[in-house]
Amino acid sequence: QVQLVESGGGLVQAGDSLRLSCVASGRTFSRYAMGWIRQAPGTENETVAAISWSSENTYYVDAVKGRFTISRDNAKNTVFLQMNSLKPEDTAVYSCAALRWFNSVGGYAADYWGQGTQVTVSS
């Protein structure tokens, strides 16, 4: 069993930065790939970024490449999403998830989800 708790969301202006954190409980954290998935009102879930258990492999959706960085600290059971140059279209609820796998086109299979944290970017 893995429990995930996100933090770091908020209301910012376009061009600002935020750093999301997701802390996991349970001793199996390092066995999972981790992902950040977002959902804006009226839209489908979108895989924003994902990272393998070793940090060797990552995925980013095209819309955030060059602006967002996913990282993890297995010793602290934490995954991060550094978001720079935020845009109004980044506004969404961001959830972290423990993934059994992810692929190069944003597909994934998740075993556990956090409750989500709201990110709102004003223009």
Side-chain angles (χ1 to χ4, degrees):
Q1 186 79 10
V2 175
Q3 292 182 326
L4 305 172
V5 179
E6 302 99 333
S7 62
L11 172 62
V12 298
Q13 293 186 331
D16 286 349
S17 298
L18 280 174
R19 190 192 198 200
L20 305 183
S21 299
C22 174
V23 180
S25 62
R27 292 179 290 179
T28 60
F29 172 77
S30 62
R31 299 180 185 178
Y32 281 97
M34 296 296 295
W36 288 96
I37 292 90
R38 68 185 179 186
Q39 185 166 28
T43 68
E44 296 184 353
N45 285 351
E46 178 178 56
T47 308
V48 176
I51 188 168
S52 62
W53 67 271
S54 66
S55 301
E56 182 175 357
N57 296 310
T58 57
Y59 164 85
Y60 295 96
V61 68
D62 285 347
V64 309
K65 285 181 180 177
R67 300 189 296 122
F68 290 11
T69 302
I70 189 170
S71 61
R72 66 189 294 165
D73 184 339
N74 288 341
K76 296 183 178 179
N77 282 9
T78 304
V79 62
F80 305 97
L81 185 68
Q82 178 66 43
M83 305 186 294
N84 298 329
S85 301
L86 282 160
K87 303 176 181 180
E89 51 263 44
D90 294 318
T91 296
V93 175
Y94 286 71
S95 299
C96 72
L99 309 177
R100 278 181 276 127
W101 57 265
F102 68 92
N103 60 27
S104 61
V105 294
Y108 63 88
D111 279 351
Y112 302 101
W113 290 86
Q115 82 286 353
T117 186
Q118 177 70 46
V119 172
T120 303
V121 185
S122 63
S123 57

PDB file of all heavy atoms in Angstrom, residues 104-120:
ATOM      1  N   SER A 104       6.281   6.226 -23.924  1.00  0.00           N
ATOM      2  CA  SER A 104       6.791   7.443 -24.573  1.00  0.00           C
ATOM      3  C   SER A 104       5.702   8.321 -25.170  1.00  0.00           C
ATOM      4  O   SER A 104       6.013   9.389 -25.713  1.00  0.00           O
ATOM      5  CB  SER A 104       7.801   7.080 -25.657  1.00  0.00           C
ATOM      6  OG  SER A 104       7.178   6.291 -26.653  1.00  0.00           O
ATOM      7  N   VAL A 105       4.451   7.882 -25.082  1.00  0.00           N
ATOM      8  CA  VAL A 105       3.352   8.703 -25.588  1.00  0.00           C
ATOM      9  C   VAL A 105       2.384   9.091 -24.475  1.00  0.00           C
ATOM     10  O   VAL A 105       1.273   9.524 -24.739  1.00  0.00           O
ATOM     11  CB  VAL A 105       2.600   7.991 -26.733  1.00  0.00           C
ATOM     12  CG1 VAL A 105       3.516   7.831 -27.946  1.00  0.00           C
ATOM     13  CG2 VAL A 105       2.045   6.648 -26.286  1.00  0.00           C
ATOM     14  N   GLY A 106       2.834   8.963 -23.223  1.00  0.00           N
ATOM     15  CA  GLY A 106       2.028   9.393 -22.098  1.00  0.00           C
ATOM     16  C   GLY A 106       1.061   8.376 -21.550  1.00  0.00           C
ATOM     17  O   GLY A 106       0.254   8.683 -20.667  1.00  0.00           O
ATOM     18  N   GLY A 107       1.099   7.157 -22.063  1.00  0.00           N
ATOM     19  CA  GLY A 107       0.289   6.102 -21.500  1.00  0.00           C
ATOM     20  C   GLY A 107       0.869   5.618 -20.179  1.00  0.00           C
ATOM     21  O   GLY A 107       2.066   5.752 -19.930  1.00  0.00           O
ATOM     22  N   TYR A 108       0.006   5.086 -19.340  1.00  0.00           N
ATOM     23  CA  TYR A 108       0.489   4.628 -18.039  1.00  0.00           C
ATOM     24  C   TYR A 108      -0.534   3.681 -17.422  1.00  0.00           C
ATOM     25  O   TYR A 108      -1.681   3.609 -17.856  1.00  0.00           O
ATOM     26  CB  TYR A 108       0.714   5.806 -17.083  1.00  0.00           C
ATOM     27  CG  TYR A 108      -0.550   6.584 -16.758  1.00  0.00           C
ATOM     28  CD1 TYR A 108      -1.369   6.209 -15.702  1.00  0.00           C
ATOM     29  CD2 TYR A 108      -0.915   7.683 -17.526  1.00  0.00           C
ATOM     30  CE1 TYR A 108      -2.536   6.904 -15.424  1.00  0.00           C
ATOM     31  CE2 TYR A 108      -2.082   8.382 -17.259  1.00  0.00           C
ATOM     32  CZ  TYR A 108      -2.882   7.997 -16.202  1.00  0.00           C
ATOM     33  OH  TYR A 108      -4.037   8.686 -15.923  1.00  0.00           O
ATOM     34  N   ALA A 109      -0.075   2.990 -16.368  1.00  0.00           N
ATOM     35  CA  ALA A 109      -0.976   2.223 -15.511  1.00  0.00           C
ATOM     36  C   ALA A 109      -0.645   2.606 -14.082  1.00  0.00           C
ATOM     37  O   ALA A 109       0.507   2.456 -13.657  1.00  0.00           O
ATOM     38  CB  ALA A 109      -0.797   0.730 -15.720  1.00  0.00           C
ATOM     39  N   ALA A 110      -1.630   3.139 -13.367  1.00  0.00           N
ATOM     40  CA  ALA A 110      -1.396   3.646 -12.014  1.00  0.00           C
ATOM     41  C   ALA A 110      -2.000   2.723 -10.979  1.00  0.00           C
ATOM     42  O   ALA A 110      -3.116   2.229 -11.151  1.00  0.00           O
ATOM     43  CB  ALA A 110      -1.980   5.045 -11.867  1.00  0.00           C
ATOM     44  N   ASP A 111      -1.265   2.507  -9.902  1.00  0.00           N
ATOM     45  CA  ASP A 111      -1.774   1.722  -8.777  1.00  0.00           C
ATOM     46  C   ASP A 111      -2.308   2.618  -7.664  1.00  0.00           C
ATOM     47  O   ASP A 111      -3.236   2.224  -6.958  1.00  0.00           O
ATOM     48  CB  ASP A 111      -0.673   0.819  -8.210  1.00  0.00           C
ATOM     49  CG  ASP A 111      -0.499  -0.455  -9.012  1.00  0.00           C
ATOM     50  OD1 ASP A 111      -1.335  -0.722  -9.900  1.00  0.00           O
ATOM     51  OD2 ASP A 111       0.472  -1.193  -8.753  1.00  0.00           O
ATOM     52  N   TYR A 112      -1.701   3.780  -7.467  1.00  0.00           N
ATOM     53  CA  TYR A 112      -2.092   4.662  -6.371  1.00  0.00           C
ATOM     54  C   TYR A 112      -2.112   6.111  -6.850  1.00  0.00           C
ATOM     55  O   TYR A 112      -1.327   6.498  -7.705  1.00  0.00           O
ATOM     56  CB  TYR A 112      -1.112   4.526  -5.191  1.00  0.00           C
ATOM     57  CG  TYR A 112      -0.998   3.118  -4.663  1.00  0.00           C
ATOM     58  CD1 TYR A 112       0.085   2.317  -5.011  1.00  0.00           C
ATOM     59  CD2 TYR A 112      -1.977   2.597  -3.825  1.00  0.00           C
ATOM     60  CE1 TYR A 112       0.191   1.024  -4.542  1.00  0.00           C
ATOM     61  CE2 TYR A 112      -1.880   1.297  -3.342  1.00  0.00           C
ATOM     62  CZ  TYR A 112      -0.799   0.518  -3.709  1.00  0.00           C
ATOM     63  OH  TYR A 112      -0.692  -0.757  -3.235  1.00  0.00           O
ATOM     64  N   TRP A 113      -3.020   6.879  -6.223  1.00  0.00           N
ATOM     65  CA  TRP A 113      -3.187   8.280  -6.575  1.00  0.00           C
ATOM     66  C   TRP A 113      -3.171   9.156  -5.322  1.00  0.00           C
ATOM     67  O   TRP A 113      -3.669   8.751  -4.267  1.00  0.00           O
ATOM     68  CB  TRP A 113      -4.535   8.497  -7.267  1.00  0.00           C
ATOM     69  CG  TRP A 113      -4.608   7.914  -8.634  1.00  0.00           C
ATOM     70  CD1 TRP A 113      -4.948   6.639  -8.967  1.00  0.00           C
ATOM     71  CD2 TRP A 113      -4.346   8.584  -9.864  1.00  0.00           C
ATOM     72  NE1 TRP A 113      -4.912   6.483 -10.320  1.00  0.00           N
ATOM     73  CE2 TRP A 113      -4.551   7.660 -10.905  1.00  0.00           C
ATOM     74  CE3 TRP A 113      -3.977   9.891 -10.185  1.00  0.00           C
ATOM     75  CZ2 TRP A 113      -4.388   7.992 -12.251  1.00  0.00           C
ATOM     76  CZ3 TRP A 113      -3.810  10.224 -11.515  1.00  0.00           C
ATOM     77  CH2 TRP A 113      -4.019   9.285 -12.528  1.00  0.00           C
ATOM     78  N   GLY A 114      -2.674  10.363  -5.481  1.00  0.00           N
ATOM     79  CA  GLY A 114      -2.836  11.366  -4.451  1.00  0.00           C
ATOM     80  C   GLY A 114      -4.162  12.075  -4.628  1.00  0.00           C
ATOM     81  O   GLY A 114      -4.904  11.809  -5.584  1.00  0.00           O
ATOM     82  N   GLN A 115      -4.436  12.998  -3.719  1.00  0.00           N
ATOM     83  CA  GLN A 115      -5.736  13.683  -3.743  1.00  0.00           C
ATOM     84  C   GLN A 115      -5.755  14.868  -4.700  1.00  0.00           C
ATOM     85  O   GLN A 115      -6.824  15.364  -5.050  1.00  0.00           O
ATOM     86  CB  GLN A 115      -6.110  14.162  -2.333  1.00  0.00           C
ATOM     87  CG  GLN A 115      -5.480  15.488  -1.894  1.00  0.00           C
ATOM     88  CD  GLN A 115      -4.010  15.378  -1.563  1.00  0.00           C
ATOM     89  OE1 GLN A 115      -3.437  14.279  -1.532  1.00  0.00           O
ATOM     90  NE2 GLN A 115      -3.385  16.519  -1.309  1.00  0.00           N
ATOM     91  N   GLY A 116      -4.592  15.297  -5.124  1.00  0.00           N
ATOM     92  CA  GLY A 116      -4.499  16.400  -6.080  1.00  0.00           C
ATOM     93  C   GLY A 116      -4.262  17.734  -5.408  1.00  0.00           C
ATOM     94  O   GLY A 116      -4.656  17.957  -4.261  1.00  0.00           O
ATOM     95  N   THR A 117      -3.620  18.635  -6.131  1.00  0.00           N
ATOM     96  CA  THR A 117      -3.376  19.994  -5.657  1.00  0.00           C
ATOM     97  C   THR A 117      -3.692  20.956  -6.801  1.00  0.00           C
ATOM     98  O   THR A 117      -3.330  20.707  -7.947  1.00  0.00           O
ATOM     99  CB  THR A 117      -1.932  20.168  -5.146  1.00  0.00           C
ATOM    100  OG1 THR A 117      -1.773  21.463  -4.570  1.00  0.00           O
ATOM    101  CG2 THR A 117      -0.894  19.970  -6.243  1.00  0.00           C
ATOM    102  N   GLN A 118      -4.394  22.023  -6.472  1.00  0.00           N
ATOM    103  CA  GLN A 118      -4.838  22.965  -7.495  1.00  0.00           C
ATOM    104  C   GLN A 118      -3.719  23.926  -7.865  1.00  0.00           C
ATOM    105  O   GLN A 118      -3.085  24.527  -6.980  1.00  0.00           O
ATOM    106  CB  GLN A 118      -6.044  23.765  -6.993  1.00  0.00           C
ATOM    107  CG  GLN A 118      -6.544  24.824  -7.959  1.00  0.00           C
ATOM    108  CD  GLN A 118      -7.212  24.228  -9.186  1.00  0.00           C
ATOM    109  OE1 GLN A 118      -8.031  23.318  -9.084  1.00  0.00           O
ATOM    110  NE2 GLN A 118      -6.870  24.755 -10.364  1.00  0.00           N
ATOM    111  N   VAL A 119      -3.506  24.072  -9.147  1.00  0.00           N
ATOM    112  CA  VAL A 119      -2.600  25.088  -9.678  1.00  0.00           C
ATOM    113  C   VAL A 119      -3.426  26.022 -10.552  1.00  0.00           C
ATOM    114  O   VAL A 119      -4.092  25.573 -11.489  1.00  0.00           O
ATOM    115  CB  VAL A 119      -1.463  24.454 -10.496  1.00  0.00           C
ATOM    116  CG1 VAL A 119      -0.646  25.533 -11.198  1.00  0.00           C
ATOM    117  CG2 VAL A 119      -0.570  23.604  -9.600  1.00  0.00           C
ATOM    118  N   THR A 120      -3.399  27.305 -10.230  1.00  0.00           N
ATOM    119  CA  THR A 120      -4.128  28.295 -10.994  1.00  0.00           C
ATOM    120  C   THR A 120      -3.164  29.379 -11.440  1.00  0.00           C
ATOM    121  O   THR A 120      -2.461  29.961 -10.614  1.00  0.00           O
ATOM    122  CB  THR A 120      -5.259  28.915 -10.166  1.00  0.00           C
ATOM    123  OG1 THR A 120      -6.135  27.876  -9.696  1.00  0.00           O
ATOM    124  CG2 THR A 120      -6.063  29.903 -11.006  1.00  0.00           C
TER     125      THR A 120
END
